[in-house]
Amino acid sequence: MAAPKTAAGGPLVGAVVQGTDYSNFVVFNSKTSEVLSHHRVALTQEFPKEGWIEQDPKQILQSVNQCIEKTCEKLQELNIDISNIKAIGVSNQRETTVVWDKLTGEPLYNAVMWLDVRTQSTVEALSKKIPGNNNFVKSKTGLPLSTYFSAVKLRWILDNVRKAQKAVEEGRALFGTVDSWLIWSLTGGADGGIHCTDVTNASRTMLFNIHSLEWDKELCDFFEIPMDILPNIWSSSEIYGRMKTGALEGVPISGCLGDQSAALVGQMCFQEGQAKNTYGTGCFLLCNTGHKCVFSECGLLTTVAYKLGKNKPVSYALEGSVAIGGAVIHWLRDNLGIIKTSEETEKLANEAGTSYGCYFIPAFSGLYAPYWEPSARGIICGLTQFTNKSHIAFAALEAICFQTREILDAMNRDCGIPLSHLQVDGEMTKNKVLMQLQADILHIPVIKASMPETMALGAAMAAGAAEGVNVWSLKPEDLSTIMMERYEPQIKATESEIRYSTWKKAVMKSMGWVTGQPSESSESNNFSSLPLGFFIVTSMIMLIGARYISSIFS
């Protein structure tokens, strides 16, 4: 006779984590925050042209459904009754833009990802329309005009994809960030799916007024975006709809947070002045500024942190966004081939112990905060005949830490009270060399959550606390304490400053490489549009010869 299935000690809550590189579904015990099971599926990205990065929305949805089904199977194997899953939260990659047909449920184009830079000429044209003394876009949204955010990606799709244009004309088109696409699809899709988003994701579109918490007609007119294709805006914690099919049919979806807001909640950064940094594809440092918007003088973003209930107050955050964090490790693996797995980076860097004067600026998509410099491109400088792949691996890890230092310095200036420590989370925090380097370069302690699923935890907390669910208490006295691992600085402050100042010198050399943008709709690679730097670098490589290059990577 089979053993009876259990509730695992309390009501359960599931969380979808839909990221740049993978989808994951995690199930928690709502009383203890214990992870009971999860399943992860890797995703592919498409690079149709230089600077273009896309994903298939149907693959994203399929991966999420697969994660949910596989996790439920694992729970049943553990004799845990999946009927005790009382709610589902969603955490998602932000800014990535999807347009689909509400009658068929079919995407009208690939998802244009947050890292995509095809819209630089659109940004430049729009910038000329903003009065010099009245940047109403930034004052309403907290964001600089940049390729990073959804409005210009949506504008590109509406300008260049005939299927999308026709669907808009015929009233069939819907727009959303990945959370909207998933919730609409999971709650029925073309058969009654709920078209919504939450305030954290809406605040990354450049169409949302962070003061009124509504879509802004002036912004929509500026970007020429029809407002009838936009999702309804909800709080981050309320019942949006229920799962329409699958093992969890009927379970409410009641939490939604952009991934970085989810990590802020999961790290319990509910007090003004608390901050966390997430190390994923990029790096994202958020500092809770309470119920007031703080506008940065130092290149940071003002964004919505969370609104945990329809009638609860909104909380805001200052954010520093770094485009290339863990993505630089993927680049070493996939583009240069000097490692076979991401984990090898830690081993190589540990063997080297130093970059030997080598500095790496991974500005593959330009520089985000605090520079917002689209003309920058990646460089590796300080190479000698002694430099090998271990030094380059070390320099890549240092690059992540230096970029975080730049964000932290800007945040300290904006907030006026320097952070005494930094709370960290994300996939890359498993790398002990990276964590120690970060403490050394910041010269403050780095506090790592021992439970890596902080994004999932934040989404689960929002879902479980929603009115009508009420299985997760957000009262401070009821919140479970997360175990932490602490890294203390191990080098002198003077050494840290010398290395940081050299990094800043290298950053200046990375700027100005792109002197002209090719046409966004151009189908051919035109060598005349390439910057002079391309030909200089190519000539240098030819002169140095294959023998020297092989000595670097051997």
Side-chain angles (χ1 to χ4, degrees):
M1 184 175 176
K5 293 185 178 180
T6 69
L12 313 181
V13 179
V16 171
V17 178
Q18 202 300 296
T20 307
D21 298 312
Y22 65 87
S23 296
N24 196 9
F25 186 66
V26 186
V27 174
F28 294 88
N29 181 320
S30 66
K31 300 303 181 189
T32 64
S33 302
E34 177 192 1
V35 174
L36 300 179
S37 188
H38 76 100
H39 187 79
R40 175 184 293 208
V41 172
L43 292 171
T44 57
Q45 298 167 18
E46 298 176 25
F47 304 89
K49 300 179 188 177
E50 184 181 354
W52 295 30
I53 311 178
E54 300 176 357
Q55 281 181 320
D56 179 356
K58 293 172 78 171
Q59 186 199 30
I60 291 173
L61 176 61
Q62 182 182 18
S63 71
V64 168
N65 280 319
Q66 183 181 347
C67 288
I68 292 172
E69 296 302 314
K70 290 290 186 182
T71 303
C72 288
E73 289 175 13
K74 291 178 181 179
L75 289 170
Q76 289 171 327
E77 289 169 5
L78 294 169
N79 282 326
I80 295 173
D81 192 342
I82 63 172
S83 69
N84 284 292
I85 297 176
K86 303 302 183 185
I88 295 169
V90 174
S91 161
N92 59 285
Q93 54 171 306
R94 304 171 302 170
E95 300 93 23
T96 295
T97 299
V98 187
V99 180
W100 67 95
D101 188 319
K102 68 181 179 183
L103 300 183
T104 66
E106 288 295 310
L108 296 165
Y109 189 72
N110 270 348
V112 179
M113 294 185 66
W114 59 277
L115 277 166
D116 188 285
V117 295
R118 75 184 69 185
T119 54
Q120 184 54 39
S121 61
T122 301
V123 169
E124 290 166 2
L126 288 167
S127 297
K128 294 172 184 174
K129 292 170 59 178
I130 298 177
N133 59 350
N134 178 26
N135 189 343
F136 69 94
V137 174
K138 187 168 186 180
S139 64
K140 289 188 175 195
T141 67
L143 311 173
L145 195 56
S146 166
T147 61
Y148 182 19
F149 307 107
S150 307
V152 289
K153 302 178 194 296
L154 176 56
R155 183 69 261 150
W156 185 92
I157 291 172
L158 297 182
D159 285 339
N160 292 277
V161 180
R162 180 57 193 149
K163 281 169 62 177
Q165 294 165 355
K166 195 168 186 293
V168 169
E169 291 163 6
E170 296 176 0
R172 295 182 286 109
L174 296 178
F175 151 77
T177 42
V178 170
D179 59 305
S180 296
W181 164 243
L182 290 177
I183 293 173
W184 184 84
S185 300
L186 295 173
T187 57
D191 183 22
I194 306 300
H195 187 215
C196 67
T197 190
D198 90 301
V199 289
T200 67
N201 282 293
S203 74
R204 313 299 292 192
T205 61
M206 281 199 300
L207 302 172
F208 176 78
N209 188 313
I210 60 174
H211 310 286
S212 67
L213 304 183
E214 296 174 336
W215 299 124
D216 189 286
K217 186 175 186 307
E218 184 182 15
L219 291 169
C220 290
D221 289 345
F222 177 71
F223 290 104
E224 299 181 57
I225 302 298
M227 295 185 75
D228 60 353
I229 72 172
L230 304 179
N232 294 316
I233 299 168
W234 299 49
S235 77
S236 307
S237 178
E238 57 184 297
I239 296 176
Y240 314 114
R242 294 178 183 272
M243 292 285 288
K244 201 64 177 278
T245 60
L248 299 182
E249 182 178 354
V251 176
I253 299 175
S254 53
C256 181
L257 291 155
D259 52 9
Q260 303 312 318
S261 288
L264 193 74
V265 171
Q267 284 264 35
M268 319 290 179
C269 294
F270 293 123
Q271 302 301 314
E272 186 176 338
Q274 288 185 308
K276 68 86 203 174
N277 195 35
T278 298
Y279 299 74
T281 303
C283 289
F284 303 90
L285 177 54
L286 271 69
C287 180
N288 189 329
T289 63
H291 303 315
K292 63 181 184 297
C293 291
V294 175
F295 281 87
S296 175
E297 300 294 327
C298 304
L300 304 182
L301 311 177
T302 303
T303 196
V304 175
Y306 50 80
K307 186 177 188 295
L308 295 174
K310 186 186 298 186
N311 300 314
K312 296 292 177 66
V314 66
S315 289
Y316 295 95
L318 274 176
E319 176 175 340
S321 306
V322 171
I324 304 297
V328 72
I329 307 304
H330 296 164
W331 185 82
L332 293 179
R333 181 192 67 198
D334 301 336
N335 293 42
L336 290 192
I338 66 173
I339 54 174
K340 292 181 180 177
T341 67
S342 299
E343 291 72 25
E344 283 182 51
T345 314
E346 180 176 6
K347 180 175 178 289
L348 287 173
N350 194 48
E351 288 172 356
T354 174
S355 69
Y356 203 77
C358 172
Y359 286 82
F360 194 158
I361 314 296
F364 303 147
S365 300
L367 290 168
Y368 283 15
Y371 301 101
W372 299 105
E373 181 50 69
S375 74
R377 286 296 178 269
I379 62 170
I380 303 176
C381 54
L383 298 175
T384 71
Q385 281 188 306
F386 181 71
T387 308
N388 61 36
K389 65 181 181 181
S390 297
H391 301 123
I392 291 175
F394 192 98
L397 294 182
E398 270 196 321
I400 296 167
C401 300
F402 285 130
Q403 289 178 104
T404 299
R405 166 74 187 268
E406 290 188 300
I407 299 299
L408 192 73
D409 283 359
M411 199 161 279
N412 286 340
R413 290 194 296 273
D414 279 327
C415 294
I417 304 172
L419 291 177
S420 59
H421 65 273
L422 182 64
Q423 290 177 226
V424 301
D425 60 76
E427 191 71 18
M428 289 204 70
T429 60
K430 295 175 184 175
N431 188 317
K432 294 181 181 296
V433 173
L434 175 68
M435 292 294 94
Q436 186 57 57
L437 274 172
Q438 189 66 88
D440 291 344
I441 288 166
L442 296 180
H443 225 261
I444 58 173
V446 167
I447 313 294
K448 175 198 164 188
S450 60
M451 200 279 286
E453 303 290 354
T454 53
M455 288 179 188
L457 179 59
M461 290 165 65
E467 185 178 348
V469 178
N470 304 117
V471 298
W472 204 309
S473 172
L474 297 183
K475 293 177 182 177
E477 63 270 23
D478 294 333
L479 293 173
S480 301
T481 302
I482 297 178
M483 298 297 292
M484 300 289 188
E485 187 177 352
R486 189 179 180 97
Y487 291 83
E488 296 283 351
Q490 292 183 353
I491 64 173
K492 293 180 179 178
T494 49
E495 182 184 342
S496 175
E497 291 305 316
I498 290 169
R499 284 157 65 177
Y500 182 49
S501 63
T502 309
W503 157 267
K504 300 279 278 186
K505 181 180 174 183
V507 169
M508 293 301 110
K509 294 183 183 296
S510 77
M511 295 185 187
W513 283 86
V514 179
T515 56
Q517 288 290 332
S519 168
E520 290 174 2
S521 58
S522 171
E523 295 296 328
S524 62
N525 290 321
N526 185 351
F527 279 93
S528 65
S529 69
L530 291 170
L532 179 60
F534 171 85
F535 297 104
I536 294 172
V537 171
T538 303
S539 300
M540 288 174 64
I541 291 172
M542 290 173 67
L543 287 170
I544 293 170
R547 184 176 181 183
Y548 173 58
I549 295 298
S550 64
S551 74
I552 291 179
F553 299 118
S554 62

